[in-house]
Structures are given as structure tokens and as C-alpha cells.
Amino acid sequence: MADIRSHFVGIRSPNPFWLASAPPTDKEYNVVRAFQAGWGGVVWKTLGLDPHIVNVSGPRYGAVWGADRRLLGLNNIELITDRPLQVNLDEIKRVKRDWPDRAVVVSLMVPCEQSCWTDIMAKVEDTGADGVELNFGCPHGMSERGMGSAVGQVPEYIEMVTRWVKAASRMPVIVKLTPNITDIRHPARAARKGGADAVSLINTVSSITAVDLDSFSPEPSIDGKGSHGGYCGPAVKPIALNMVAEIARDAETRGLPISGIGGITTWRDAAEFMALGAGNVQVCTAAMTYGFKIVQEMIEGLTAWMDQGGHADLDAFVGRAVPNVTDWQYLNLNYVAKARIDQDACIKCGRCHIACEDTSHQAITSTVDGKRHFEVIEAECVGCNLCVNVCPVENCITMEPLAPGSLDRRTGRVVSPDYANWTMHPNNPSSVAAE
Amino acid sequence: MTEARLETGVAAGRLAPEEYERGFGDLHPPLDRHEALVAADRCYFCYDAPCVTACPTGIDIPMFIRQIATGNTLGAAKTIFDQNILGGMCARVCPTETLCEQACVREAAEGRPVEIGRLQRVATDAAMAAGRQFYRRAEPTGRRIAVVGAGPAGLACAHRLAVHGHEVTVLDARPKAGGLNEYGIAAYKTVDGFAQAEVEYVTAIGGITVEPGRALGRDVTLAGLCAGYDAVFLGLGLAGVNALGTPGDDADGVADAVDWIAELRQASDLATLPVGRRVVVIGGGMTAIDAAVQAKLLGAEEVTICYRRGREHMNASAWEQDLAASKGVAIRHWLRPRRVLAERGRVTGIELEYTRLADGRLDGTGETLTLAADQVFRAIGQSFVAAPLDGAIALEGGRIRVDAEGRTSMAKVWAGGDCVAGGDDLTVSAVAMGRDAAESIHRSLS
Ligand SMILES: Cc1cc2nc3c(=O)[nH]c(=O)nc-3n(C[C@H](O)[C@H](O)[C@H](O)COP(=O)(O)OP(=O)(O)OC[C@H]3O[C@@H](n4cnc5c(N)ncnc54)[C@H](O)[C@@H]3O)c2cc1C
Ligand SMILES: Cc1cc2nc3c(=O)[nH]c(=O)nc-3n(C[C@H](O)[C@H](O)[C@H](O)COP(=O)(O)O)c2cc1C
Ligand code: SF4
Ligand code: SF4
Ligand code: SF4
């Protein structure tokens, strides 16, 4: 059976599934339940200086739902821990003592002064925790006070604080990045320069989930007013995957360990993050939606997939997808694919037709010989994949590559076996012709 | 178990009051808000949706379901009423399993269609509960139209004519409007006086005068109507009932299922309605099922439907047959009545002959079966009674011949619903025909 033990920046855990710093890791009670359920590690809910912060006493969350009210995106305006520092430190110490095989990492957010960071590092070290995570990501509330994403949005601050922390302790330091920035590579590079052992990402995306159309207050509404929150859950996974990949393939940050976070809900999501270069993963919303038990599905699903694919351990597949992430300009323009509808699977809902007809390339029939029939017109299909995405039946429509040498009936050209990208294309003014 | 339950012969009050209540309560209780949202979420918003094609009134189903899903329930009701002003009744009585829901792509996908009928009820109930009228009458046209028959066809026609600003008089032979909605549909499909509530909702638009107790052929003539009105719509339904044509058919205890159901629908207290201990229903359609199920619900100990062909030939849908079976009705196939057995003029049983199909023809095998019965219902089909037309209108197969717009052979006279040839004898089809005839009348008058 595949070995899913994880060894991330010197921190060992029985599996790569950690709970992200958030309500699930807020206190001993939750963390013990998480460990009982099988989670490999936790990043403790972010600690700050006393006097501890306060949270709103009204709603903290807003949400976006899919069909059947499935939670797709969660938004929160919760701040860091609202408990005294010493209470948290005592609990962390106890938990680590009772659960020595699990990873216990402590998330931190204190003002941008070296003494604050040096002081708190000493206290954390005393708990016996495995490492720290610097919360430079929280986009609401704390950022107004010059912390969280206010730091994460300025690479120079990231580098500076990371350096302070590294100087204050021998513990592994993970820098948690905010996605609320134009190019994620800059903060990642800064973290590396500051000596970070790893980066973790993403923290939440600044968001307003809804507006109450009676009161005209944004949601969640606190006494008629709202404030932007941080968005997470399945909806942010694509954003997070891209940012992880960007860091994994950047020349300056390549090789920097990454803890992948953002919308991870199943073992599959986790494996995807890891294939894109994450050494382990952290989960928040999925646990907050379904409870801690989901980790069992993650552990078993990942193990089964690794067994099936012959991946003996995590290292066998971590980063395997990174070389396949490239720039648009290097995509093979000679590759031609056409949609094909499996008529036995088709339930004739017509969504592919209307999507293509109204908004794309008029390449799917609705009637053939007077009968309701949906079929791809190869001479019109540009292979865009929209029909695949709107079809309610999985694998009913597939994208079939045309074999080299066959005729693309849309362009009238024979499919070339050669690789040719935009840099070589005649329409590109700065083309460097292939021949 | 009370003794009354087992009383032989035809007797009233076989059950305890709460048993009547349970049996005749809403067959499909309304969906609550959560159930409605879950059901609505399943709709794929199909293009050129097959469910719409399958709905005889062509309701824009994906649109109204989307409106429910987005919290616009009254908008959903309007979408429904735009096509089918009796959408409330249709939501209750349509055999959706052979109409919209059979065509639903999720029936093809996973054998479980979107619950279109029940969602339709959510929307129409909400609008009716809110007393929301969506249509205002056009400027009065000064045109007067007589509608004969206040069933679904007549009501739908009258409403659409009123929308266009015409003045409508609806005559009906019966004391109450509604047609079979009021007198025929199984009680558990339309509880709490829904048929009358709907008549009120439909006529509330104004410009519609309902005159119950006025029969064509008795109180008025077709010629008289044609002289007094700009147009006439006939929505007469099927007033006649097919006879068994077997000896003993006239014995006491043998009755037409539709008459007995009408009596049941009008009974103010079901406990006063007599029903046999052993009941045999002859027929294979919706009426046979309804009579049998309601007899069972009234406390009959044994109810048997006897049909002369196989299960697959029955007009009642598989779903209706299952419903009957679930209520404890036995359905026997390949049996036709030969003789009603009676003692002192009262039915005691029925002798049936086994049948088979030979070269596509139905044949008796000669072998017989006798079932004891103290009540026998004829449910072998209704027929159109043409007498009130005074021979002035061409028929086809015993019903009124109409063209695609509902025009009869006689100038100024339209017809629709069960009384016309080529229909499928459903409430929803009657509504479609009444509506379309109204549009045709309107075009001819403007
Ligand atoms: C027992 C039974 C159960 C049924 N169940 C269902 C069901 O579950 N679902 C479904 O879709 N369909 C069902 N049907 C069929 C459905 O009821 C009819 O198709 C529908 O009512 C036809 O509407 P209509 O307006 O054409 O006729 P009707 O509803 O029959 O209305 C005709 C009206 O005309 C009046 N009338 C007749 N002659 C005259 C006259 N000479 N002068 C004045 N008025 C006259 C009658 O009094 C009546 O009110 C059922 C039918 C029966 C008999
Ligand atoms: C209610 C809530 C509170 C959070 N608090 C913190 C926090 O204190 N520190 C932190 O680093 N991240 C915090 N996060 C961010 C999560 O750790 C995580 O980065 C984010 O939710 C994305 O992961 P997910 O999609 O699995 O939820 C919080 C998230 C939520 C939903
Ligand atoms: S989740 Fe718990 S704490 Fe939060 S509002 Fe509901 S009951 Fe209250
Ligand atoms: S979207 Fe899929 S199921 Fe629907 S018609 Fe197209 S191919 Fe068939
Ligand atoms: S066929 Fe079914 S899924 Fe499609 S629009 Fe109609 S109800 Fe919705």
C-alpha cells in the first residue's frame, strides 16, 4: 500500500492533510477532535498579542451556493483568535504533548515590529510546536490595522518580517500568502529571500457575497452594514491552483516548499495541488461544511489512487504536473480537437446546442431529419470545450484530438504532426519563423 | 375493526371519521418551500425543452421552474397561467407520468423526472392564495359570446375571450360550474373545494357571467344562441355513458361509475355515501381506477377491476394502476362481463368470460368466472350526446368534428374538450382546445 506519510520542511505527519488556521483549529477541543478523526496536522488559529481582539457578535459568514444549496463559496469576516495568548499557548503545549505524531504549527500575526515577533517566537518555541506560519494573508479587519494582507501585499515587509522570525528561532517558518495581489510570484520571492522554509497559499480572497435587496446591506449584515470578507471554499480552488503553479515553476522560487490551500474538499483536490507542486495541503471550508470525518475519504481516496497509479509515496507524484504548466504562447497551435457527443449517453437536454448556437460557433445541431438530435458539426466546431462544460452528463461530450494527417473540416487543412506555437505563427508580428 | 365495515350489501358509514379523512386527503401534499427548491434545482433549463412539447398547453416549464428557484413564485404562476389558466387543477390531475414528466430529460437520465406537476402547484397555489390576478381585460369590444359547458374547455375559452375584452356568458346544465373538475375528478386529487375556488379565480377577471342550470337543448337552442351571440363555443364534454350490453345490466346496485363519483364529489359527508362490501368495476381507464380506489377508500372490503384486455392495453397509466394496487384494489385482466347475477332485482354477482387476442381480435375463450358483488360499476367509457345540437353540426366518430382552430362545420360555432373528435380526454387538453378556440374566435371577430 502506498505510503502517505508526509515530511514537510522537517515536520512529520502521518498524512499530508492539515487543517488550515481557522475555526477548526481554534482551540484544544476542536484540534483533539480533528486528530481523533485522523487529520495529519493543524495550523493553529492565528495567535496575536494581548489584549486579544474581539469578533463581531453578529453573522461572520456569507456564502454562495450551487444546486441543492451545496456550499460553493464561503466568506468570513472573522479576525484572528479572540482568546488570550496564554490560554492558546497552554493548549498548544498540551495538544502537542498528547499527540506527538501529529503536526502542530502555530499561526502568528503581530504588529510589524521586530520585538513583537521576537517575543512571540520565544513563547511559541516553549510549547514544543513543530513550526510557525506567518499570517500575511487575512484580508479583512486585521489589514486595517497594518497586519495580515497589509503585510502580504508589500514584498519588502514580507522579507523583513520573515528575516526577523528566522533570526529569532530555529523553528521551520512557513509564510502564508494572500491572493489579493496582482502577481503572486513577488511575495513568494520575498518570502524566500527572507529565509522562509516554505510558503502556504492561498489565504482568502477579498469578497462581498451578496446584497440584501430589502435592506440594501451587503451580506453578512451586521446591524445593516457589511464589510468585505475573505472568500474560500470550492469556488477559490482554481485561483489557488494557478498561484501554486506560478510559484512552483518560477525560476526564483522553484523548489521552495509549498503548502497548498484553497477549496480543497476531496482527495482529488489535494492530489491536484500536490501534482502542481504542493508538498502538503491545508483544508478549512470543507471541514467547516462537513465536519472532520471527511479526512477519512481523503486518506483512503489518495491511497487508493496512489496504489493504482503506482506512486509509492508522496514524493513520487508531488510536482509531476509542474513541467506541463506553460505559457499560452508555447501551446501547440497544430493540435486540433473536436467535440463528440456519445449518443447513447445523451439525454437530449439541448444545452450544448443552445450554448454553442447563441454564444459560440453554431456547431451543434438541434434537429436532424426532423428529429430532436444533437450532433457536432465538425466543419464548424472550433474545439472550445463549452459544450463539454455545460452538458449535465459526465463524459457524454468528449474532446477528440484529430490525428495528424487527417482533415480539419473547419479550416480545410490537414492536421500537421509538428509542434508549432504562437512564437512561430505567421500572424504574430514578432514571429521567429520555424523554418 | 367496526362491524359496519363488514356489513353485507351496500351500506354507508363503514369507517371511522378519521379513516375517511385520511383516505380522501390530498394525494400529493403540496411541496413546502425547501422541497420546492430542491425539486426546482434539478431542472436543467433545457433548450426547446421536451417537457414543454409534451404539455398539451405548452407551458414554459423550464422558465417557471427557474422562477421558482430564484424566489419569483408569482412570476412562475404567471408563466403557467399565460398558457393554462387552469394550471392549478392541471397541477393536481394531469397524468404527468405520461405527459411532461415522461418527456423530462431526467426521466431519460436517471428514471426520476423533475417533479413538474408538484412545482406547478407550488406556483399556482401561491398566486391563488395571494388572490393575485395577472390579467386585465382589454377595452370592451362589445362582442358577446356564448360558451356552453363550464368544464375546463369552456372555462379556458371564456377566460381568454374575457382577456380580449369580449363579453362571455357561460351556460351549464349542472348546478355548479367546473365540469368534471367538480363532478368527476377523484376526490383525493382536488381536495378542499379547489374546483370551485378555481372557477372563482378564473372568472374573477370579469366579463364572464356563469349561468348554471341552463342546458342546451332544454333551456336554449343552438339556433337561438347563434342568433343572440356573435359566436358560440361548445364545451359539452361527454354526457352519455356506454352500457355493458349484458343481461341484468339494469339490476339494483349496478351503476355508472361517473354518476356514482359525481355523487361522491358532491357528498357533504362521505360517511353517508353507501358503498358495497364487494365491488366490481368494469373498465380499464381512469374512471375505472377512480371508482375502484374511492370505493375502497369508502370501506369496501373487496374491490376488483375487471378489464377485457391486458395490463398494457389499459388506458389508465401504469402509475394509476399502481396507485389502485397500493390502495388494495385488485386488477384482473382478460375478463369481459357476460351476465349480471341478481336476486329479487338486486345484484349479487357478475359472471365474466375469459378473453384472449386472436389475430388482433378480442375473443372469448368460453371459460367463465363468477365474482360475488353487491355493487357493480360500469366504467367502459363515456359518449357524446349529440341531441342538443339538433343535427346542425357535423360529427366524426360520434363527436363534434373541428378543424385545427376548433371551428365546427357550422358558422359562428366552435367546440373543444372531450366533446370533439380526436382528443385525448384530459383536463389539460380541454384547456388547450378552449384557449385556442378563444383565439380563433377573437381573430374572427376583430
Ligand atoms: C371519473 C373521471 C376522472 C378523470 N380524471 C382525470 C384526471 O385525473 N386527469 C385528467 O387530466 N383528466 C381526467 N378526466 C378527464 C377530464 O375530466 C376531462 O377530459 C375534462 O373534464 C374535459 O373537459 P370538458 O370541458 O371538455 O368537459 P367536462 O369537464 O365534461 O365539462 C362539460 C360541461 O358541459 C356541461 N354540459 C354538458 N352538456 C350540456 C348541455 N347540453 N347544456 C349545458 N351544459 C352542458 C356539463 O354539465 C359539464 O359541466 C377524468 C374523467 C372522468 C370521467
Ligand atoms: C472563518 C475563517 C477564519 C479564518 N481565519 C484565519 C486565520 O485566523 N488565520 C489564517 O491564516 N487564515 C484564516 N483563514 C483562512 C484559511 O486558513 C484558509 O486559508 C482559507 O479558508 C482557504 O482554504 P479553504 O478554501 O480550504 O477554506 C480563515 C478562514 C475562515 C473561513
Ligand atoms: S453555527 Fe452554531 S454558533 Fe454559529 S450561528 Fe449556528 S448555532 Fe450559532
Ligand atoms: S448537453 Fe449533453 S446531454 Fe444535453 S443534448 Fe448536449 S450532449 Fe446531450
Ligand atoms: S425536460 Fe426536465 S430538466 Fe428539462 S426543462 Fe423540462 S423539467 Fe427541466
Side-chain angles (χ1 to χ4, degrees):
Chain A
M1 204 163 74
D3 180 359
I4 61 165
R5 280 176 304 171
S6 163
H7 191 201
F8 185 77
V9 293
I11 305 170
R12 292 182 187 280
S13 58
N15 61 57
F17 305 111
W18 292 6
L19 283 166
S21 172
T25 63
D26 185 55
K27 55 188 179 298
E28 181 177 11
Y29 181 84
N30 304 74
V31 172
V32 167
R33 285 177 65 84
F35 285 162
Q36 283 163 348
W39 289 88
V42 297
V43 181
W44 204 274
K45 173 75 185 173
T46 305
L47 309 189
L49 295 187
D50 288 333
H52 61 80
I53 61 89
V54 295
N55 271 301
V56 295
S57 296
R60 294 177 202 185
Y61 305 123
V64 168
W65 295 275
D68 210 1
R69 218 174 139 88
R70 194 163 279 257
L71 190 77
L72 296 184
L74 184 71
N75 158 293
N76 83 87
I77 54 165
E78 177 176 288
L79 303 182
I80 60 174
T81 182
D82 52 12
R83 306 186 314 147
L85 180 58
Q86 196 55 49
V87 172
N88 276 305
L89 293 170
D90 292 346
E91 289 185 6
I92 292 167
K93 190 171 195 167
R94 224 167 24 240
V95 168
K96 183 63 210 180
R97 187 196 64 208
D98 294 347
W99 298 85
D101 70 322
R102 308 302 169 94
V104 177
V105 172
V106 180
S107 172
L108 299 173
M109 184 197 289
V110 294
C112 260
E113 289 163 33
Q114 186 162 12
S115 59
C116 295
W117 287 97
T118 310
D119 288 352
I120 200 161
M121 284 306 290
K123 294 185 171 123
V124 173
E125 248 179 25
D126 179 55
T127 64
D130 298 296
V132 293
E133 184 179 83
L134 312 187
N135 179 351
F136 297 155
C138 182
H140 47 265
M142 302 313 293
S143 52
E144 296 168 14
R145 306 172 200 179
M147 292 180 266
S149 66
V151 177
Q153 286 166 338
V154 184
E156 292 75 16
Y157 291 174
I158 294 177
E159 185 182 338
M160 173 180 76
V161 177
T162 307
R163 189 161 283 134
W164 292 339
V165 173
K166 279 308 286 181
S169 161
R170 287 201 319 275
M171 276 199 285
V173 175
I174 303 167
V175 173
K176 186 165 179 180
L177 303 179
T178 174
N180 302 305
I181 189 158
T182 42
D183 187 342
I184 196 69
R185 292 173 300 182
H186 293 283
R189 288 168 188 162
R192 176 167 245 188
K193 276 192 215 130
D197 298 278
V199 288
S200 58
L201 69 160
I202 57 173
N203 207 308
T204 55
V205 183
S206 295
S207 61
I208 290 175
T209 45
V211 175
D212 183 313
L213 291 177
D214 294 321
S215 66
F216 290 103
S217 167
E219 300 278 12
S221 172
I222 290 91
D223 196 21
K225 298 261 190 283
S227 176
H228 81 261
Y231 200 44
C232 50
V236 308
K237 176 187 147 192
I239 298 168
L241 275 180
N242 173 55
M243 291 185 164
V244 166
E246 287 292 283
I247 294 170
R249 71 192 190 93
D250 178 50
E252 293 182 42
T253 51
R254 190 170 295 151
L256 177 65
I258 300 170
S259 185
I261 319 172
I264 295 165
T265 308
T266 66
W267 69 266
R268 229 171 236 290
D269 299 325
E272 291 172 22
F273 270 86
M274 295 172 79
L276 278 177
N280 74 355
V281 294
Q282 299 182 29
V283 175
C284 170
T285 303
M288 290 182 69
T289 310
Y290 303 110
F292 290 144
K293 189 177 165 185
I294 53 163
V295 75
Q296 291 165 17
E297 175 275 330
M298 293 178 160
I299 291 169
E300 275 155 34
L302 183 69
T303 311
W305 169 76
M306 287 170 64
D307 283 342
Q308 209 173 22
H311 309 295
D313 54 24
L314 301 179
D315 288 340
F317 72 91
V318 165
R320 284 277 289 272
V322 176
N324 294 329
V325 184
T326 183
D327 294 341
W328 194 98
Q329 60 181 333
Y330 301 123
L331 297 175
N332 184 2
L333 296 176
N334 281 342
Y335 174 83
V336 182
K338 302 279 181 186
R340 196 174 64 202
I341 296 175
D342 175 350
Q343 294 300 333
D344 292 333
C346 173
I347 60 172
K348 297 190 165 48
C349 70
R351 278 165 62 160
C352 55
H353 163 80
I354 201 60
C356 191
E357 188 71 16
D358 278 354
T359 72
S360 295
H361 300 88
Q362 298 76 48
I364 297 182
T365 65
S366 61
T367 315
V368 173
D369 297 333
K371 285 206 340 241
R372 185 175 176 83
H373 184 82
F374 302 93
E375 196 174 281
V376 176
I377 305 162
E378 261 202 47
E380 303 295 339
C381 177
V382 303
C384 74
N385 211 36
L386 179 65
C387 55
V388 173
N389 297 143
V390 302
C391 176
V393 181
E394 199 180 9
N395 291 329
C396 172
I397 311 182
T398 47
M399 297 304 298
E400 304 292 334
L402 292 190
S406 57
L407 180 70
D408 177 351
R409 281 188 264 170
R410 182 175 70 90
T411 58
R413 282 201 292 271
V414 170
V415 177
S416 161
D418 301 328
Y419 164 82
N421 64 42
W422 175 243
T423 63
M424 319 162 180
H425 198 277
N427 286 19
N428 181 354
S430 46
S431 155
V432 284
E435 283 98 343
Chain B
M1 187 172 283
T2 61
E3 259 179 71
R5 182 188 296 273
L6 298 177
E7 193 162 324
T8 41
V10 180
R14 290 183 181 276
L15 304 176
E18 61 275 13
E19 289 177 291
Y20 290 106
E21 232 167 80
R22 207 180 316 128
F24 288 90
D26 220 331
L27 182 60
H28 297 294
L31 296 177
D32 66 22
R33 175 86 194 133
H34 170 73
E35 291 170 314
L37 286 178
V38 172
D41 262 346
R42 296 186 63 239
C43 175
Y44 287 143
F45 200 73
C46 296
Y47 165 73
D48 189 15
C51 55
V52 179
T53 313
C55 170
T57 54
I59 293 171
D60 190 341
I61 293 164
M63 184 57 78
F64 94 69
I65 293 180
R66 195 173 174 84
Q67 288 169 309
I68 291 176
T70 60
N72 182 10
T73 311
L74 292 182
K78 177 167 188 302
T79 302
I80 295 161
F81 290 141
D82 280 349
Q83 296 297 320
N84 181 339
I85 194 64
L86 274 78
M89 183 60 80
C90 289
R92 292 163 164 77
V93 306
C94 274
T96 52
E97 65 279 7
T98 61
L99 298 170
C100 53
E101 292 180 16
Q102 182 179 53
C104 175
V105 301
R106 299 207 74 157
E107 171 65 23
E110 64 243 18
R112 212 164 65 80
V114 173
E115 291 182 284
I116 301 168
R118 298 184 79 188
L119 286 166
Q120 180 169 319
R121 180 166 170 187
V122 167
T124 52
D125 278 6
M128 286 176 67
R132 180 68 181 272
Q133 289 284 326
F134 296 103
Y135 309 97
R136 209 171 312 140
R137 295 187 65 201
E139 286 299 300
T141 60
R143 303 295 193 148
R144 300 173 64 241
I145 295 125
V147 169
V148 189
L155 288 172
C157 182
H159 185 267
R160 189 55 70 96
L161 289 169
V163 168
H164 287 309
H166 306 300
E167 206 62 42
V168 190
T169 304
V170 184
L171 314 176
D172 198 294
R174 299 252 202 187
K176 284 192 203 166
L180 290 174
N181 288 357
E182 176 60 37
Y183 293 98
I185 297 292
Y188 42 79
K189 290 185 185 171
T190 165
V191 300
D192 300 331
F194 182 78
Q196 286 313 301
E198 187 172 51
V199 169
E200 275 159 37
Y201 181 75
V202 170
T203 54
I205 183 170
I208 302 175
T209 311
V210 182
E211 298 185 359
R214 298 238 293 151
L216 180 69
R218 186 186 72 198
D219 307 311
V220 290
T221 63
L222 190 54
L225 289 179
C226 286
Y229 292 88
D230 295 298
V232 176
F233 174 79
L234 302 174
L236 298 168
L238 303 173
V241 176
N242 296 339
L244 284 183
T246 53
D249 191 348
D250 53 355
D252 238 13
V254 181
D256 289 324
V258 284
D259 290 345
W260 182 73
I261 291 171
E263 204 186 323
L264 184 152
R265 286 292 310 275
Q266 298 308 306
S268 55
D269 178 5
L270 289 169
T272 63
L273 195 72
V275 69
R277 179 173 173 186
R278 298 190 176 87
V279 178
V280 171
V281 182
I282 307 296
M286 201 114 77
T287 306
I289 298 276
D290 287 359
V293 169
Q294 291 175 108
K296 190 76 199 162
L297 294 176
L298 281 176
E301 184 187 2
E302 271 175 40
V303 180
T304 312
I305 292 176
C306 297
Y307 179 55
R308 63 195 172 130
R309 293 172 190 267
R311 177 178 166 87
E312 63 281 13
H313 303 109
M314 288 180 78
N315 264 337
S317 69
W319 188 90
E320 298 272 350
Q321 297 178 44
D322 290 347
L323 173 73
S326 77
K327 301 291 180 192
V329 172
I331 304 183
R332 305 197 56 163
H333 302 102
W334 303 109
L335 281 172
R336 68 182 179 194
R338 228 167 65 156
R339 198 154 61 95
V340 174
L341 309 173
E343 266 171 39
R344 287 191 297 279
R346 267 215 68 81
V347 61
T348 57
I350 183 163
E351 185 183 294
L352 304 124
E353 181 184 17
Y354 285 95
T355 56
R356 65 173 167 225
L357 271 183
D359 303 328
R361 267 193 55 244
L362 194 70
D363 236 0
T365 65
E367 192 186 336
T368 62
L369 167 81
T370 300
L371 294 177
D374 30 41
Q375 203 168 28
V376 172
F377 289 123
R378 290 178 287 247
I380 54 171
Q382 289 111 261
S383 56
F384 177 59
V385 176
L389 305 183
D390 298 326
I393 289 181
L395 303 183
E396 180 185 324
R399 303 197 193 182
I400 299 172
R401 192 179 77 211
V402 291
D403 67 8
E405 296 188 11
R407 283 183 291 229
T408 68
S409 64
M410 189 172 175
K412 289 172 68 172
V413 181
W414 280 254
D418 286 0
C419 67
V420 307
D424 46 15
D425 295 353
L426 294 173
T427 308
V428 64
S429 311
V431 171
M433 288 189 264
R435 175 199 70 192
D436 294 348
E439 291 295 346
S440 177
I441 293 170
H442 176 63
R443 278 194 298 275
S444 81
L445 294 181
S446 38

